[in-house]
Amino acid sequence: MEYTYNGMKAFWSGEEETQEKQKGVQSVLGNDQSYKAFTADTRIEDVIKDPAFGNFGRLLFPIDNRYYSGDTLGKLYLTWYSNINPNKTVEIVNYLKKRAKSGDTIFYDIYSDEEKAQDPTKEDTGLFFFRGNKGAKTAIINAGGGFVYVGAMQDSFPHALELSKKGYNAFALIYRPGAQTACEDLARAIAFLYENADELGIDMKDYSLWGGSAGARMAAWLGSYGTESFGEKRYPRPAAVIMQYTGLSEVTGKEPPTFACVGTNDGIASYKTMEDRINRIKANGTDAEIEVFQGLSHGFGLGEGTVAEGWINDAIKFWEKHMTE
């Protein structure tokens, strides 16, 4: 797959950071100060090495450090992303640390030790679990990163956290870069969740696939072609696909119900291309919606503090509309 990217920089004013940077700590920890919480001033290296995260702390941020910069959580910048909210970054890592310290499993391998020994690149894969209600429906979220890295801290972790707050079980996939390997990893993740649904306490019926940028292509491809096209046995297709800012144009006629959103100033994914695809899906008789946000650039994530804020609630309603029970 070929991509043409323009450099995008994150922004979050100093005044906003001053007002907000402690909220991520407070909202997750409440009055529990039994261990030192992360703040916007915490070094990213210290988060990665925190004992609570074992050997998977390195997967919280891009494995290839050429695609992110900033020494602290508050100064994190991810290539091709905009509107990174330091408060949300702090909230995410504190949420995960609190759950890990409480004895909950927050990370699952999707490949066996034997498979990882045969292909060491599979060491850099897995699912971060943002737990909702026991037995609730499941969402799988795929971050973008141009199929060269995984931008989870902006493009899947925030979504997973918000979905879990609404009671849904959400999994953020860390996959191998590359269109083919990424889709193979997503297919394996779906298989893993189906095979372990009872143990995990999740409902995979009417699951949804979410993604931004390259991650949106993964969600669309698995939704249209199925797990059987990427090395796994056939599992049910998703009830809905939720896509952000990707210029995918192909329509197979096998698309699940699809919700999309994008900004008009996206220099990577044309909103017109996305509108055209949604219209073609609708013309095939499949439910599809798109929200286009004036002035937004690529990689806005949850869109907090922008005209896109709240889009995730519309996406959840779209998914819920297509649940069969």
Side-chain angles (χ1 to χ4, degrees), residues 138-273:
T138 303
I140 306 168
I141 306 99
N142 312 285
F147 290 123
V148 294
Y149 84 100
V150 181
M153 197 58 74
Q154 168 72 347
D155 224 17
S156 62
F157 292 162
H159 307 61
L161 181 59
E162 294 309 303
L163 284 160
S164 72
K165 290 178 182 179
K166 294 183 180 296
Y168 293 110
N169 291 302
F171 293 85
L173 175 65
I174 307 299
Y175 56 86
R176 292 169 293 166
Q180 180 66 31
T181 52
C183 287
E184 290 173 3
D185 293 344
L186 178 53
R188 171 56 65 92
I190 294 169
F192 173 84
L193 294 177
Y194 261 103
E195 297 304 318
N196 295 280
D198 290 342
E199 179 183 344
L200 293 168
I202 63 174
D203 182 3
M204 282 296 288
K205 185 176 177 60
D206 300 322
Y207 73 96
S208 57
L209 292 180
W210 299 58
S213 197
R217 291 178 181 252
M218 294 164 59
W221 286 331
L222 265 294
S224 295
Y225 297 109
T227 52
E228 66 271 24
S229 297
F230 299 99
E232 300 296 328
K233 74 177 187 181
R234 184 175 183 176
Y235 290 90
R237 305 290 175 89
V241 167
I242 313 298
M243 305 175 65
Q244 289 187 272
Y245 33 74
T246 194
L248 182 66
S249 59
E250 67 179 35
V251 174
T252 67
K254 299 179 180 179
E255 286 72 26
T258 301
F259 179 98
C261 65
V262 64
T264 59
N265 284 7
D266 195 318
I268 296 172
S270 166
Y271 74 92
K272 293 182 179 179
T273 298

Side-chain angles (χ1 to χ4, degrees), residues 68-125:
Y68 78 91
S69 62
D71 292 335
T72 65
L73 294 175
K75 295 180 180 179
L76 175 66
Y77 159 62
L78 297 170
T79 303
W80 305 313
Y81 282 95
S82 61
N83 301 88
I84 296 175
N85 180 348
N87 177 54
K88 184 60 65 178
T89 303
V90 171
E91 182 183 6
I92 289 164
V93 292
N94 277 317
Y95 162 85
L96 291 171
K97 181 173 180 177
K98 182 178 182 181
R99 283 197 52 220
K101 295 281 284 185
S102 297
D104 294 336
T105 301
I106 62 171
F107 181 80
Y108 290 89
D109 284 308
I110 57 175
Y111 291 108
S112 67
D113 290 341
E114 292 76 15
E115 288 172 312
K116 288 186 284 187
Q118 292 174 2
D119 182 354
T121 64
K122 292 178 178 177
E123 291 278 357
D124 297 331
T125 65

Side-chain angles (χ1 to χ4, degrees), residues 22-92:
Q22 293 302 323
K23 290 184 180 178
V25 176
Q26 295 168 353
S27 64
V28 174
L29 299 181
N31 295 322
D32 180 6
Q33 298 298 326
S34 60
Y35 61 86
K36 185 176 180 181
F38 300 124
T39 72
D41 296 324
T42 302
R43 291 177 57 85
I44 291 173
E45 181 180 1
D46 292 337
V47 176
I48 292 172
K49 294 180 178 179
D50 193 290
F53 298 137
N55 65 356
F56 56 83
R58 60 194 175 81
L59 301 178
L60 291 166
F61 301 90
I63 294 296
D64 188 336
N65 60 19
R66 293 177 299 174
Y67 294 99
Y68 78 91
S69 62
D71 292 335
T72 65
L73 294 175
K75 295 180 180 179
L76 175 66
Y77 159 62
L78 297 170
T79 303
W80 305 313
Y81 282 95
S82 61
N83 301 88
I84 296 175
N85 180 348
N87 177 54
K88 184 60 65 178
T89 303
V90 171
E91 182 183 6
I92 289 164

